[in-house]
Amino acid sequence: MRIIGTIPHPSISISVFHMNDKFIVKMEAGPMEQTIKFREDEVKGVEDIKSMLDEEFMKKALERFNEMFSEMKRVKSTK
């Protein structure tokens, strides 16, 4: 797997990788990450992926990160 680009965002680190005929988009926020895979026939490259990660998509991704973080805190507090 090799990194082929990054996509700027104010609160999420977004890296794009290429491996085995797939583009892998890894979004990281604090201790959590979300990964999305696209086949090569679905996207043409980093710029195509960047256009797909529009404002609505990123809003939903941030909501998922917040839900994940809340659940992680809940689980840790029960130990």
Side-chain angles (χ1 to χ4, degrees):
M1 179 163 57
R2 65 182 179 92
I3 189 164
I4 60 168
T6 60
I7 299 172
H9 189 274
S11 56
I12 298 174
S13 173
I14 305 172
S15 303
V16 181
F17 300 87
H18 187 256
M19 182 179 81
N20 298 336
D21 302 324
K22 289 187 176 71
F23 291 101
I24 301 161
V25 180
K26 183 166 112 174
M27 298 181 289
E28 298 176 89
M32 299 158 298
E33 69 179 49
Q34 298 179 48
T35 304
I36 304 165
K37 297 178 184 176
F38 297 99
R39 294 186 323 264
E40 281 183 336
D41 63 350
E42 294 177 314
V43 296
K44 295 176 182 154
V46 176
E47 289 304 313
D48 202 14
I49 292 169
K50 188 176 179 180
S51 70
M52 294 171 73
L53 304 184
D54 63 9
E55 186 176 333
E56 181 65 22
F57 182 94
M58 294 311 300
K59 178 183 170 204
K60 296 287 187 180
L62 282 168
E63 288 173 4
R64 282 189 292 277
F65 273 124
N66 288 333
E67 291 170 5
M68 291 165 59
F69 186 73
S70 294
E71 187 61 18
M72 183 181 69
K73 283 183 9 182
R74 184 194 68 77
V75 169
K76 284 183 175 182
S77 71
T78 61
K79 288 188 172 195

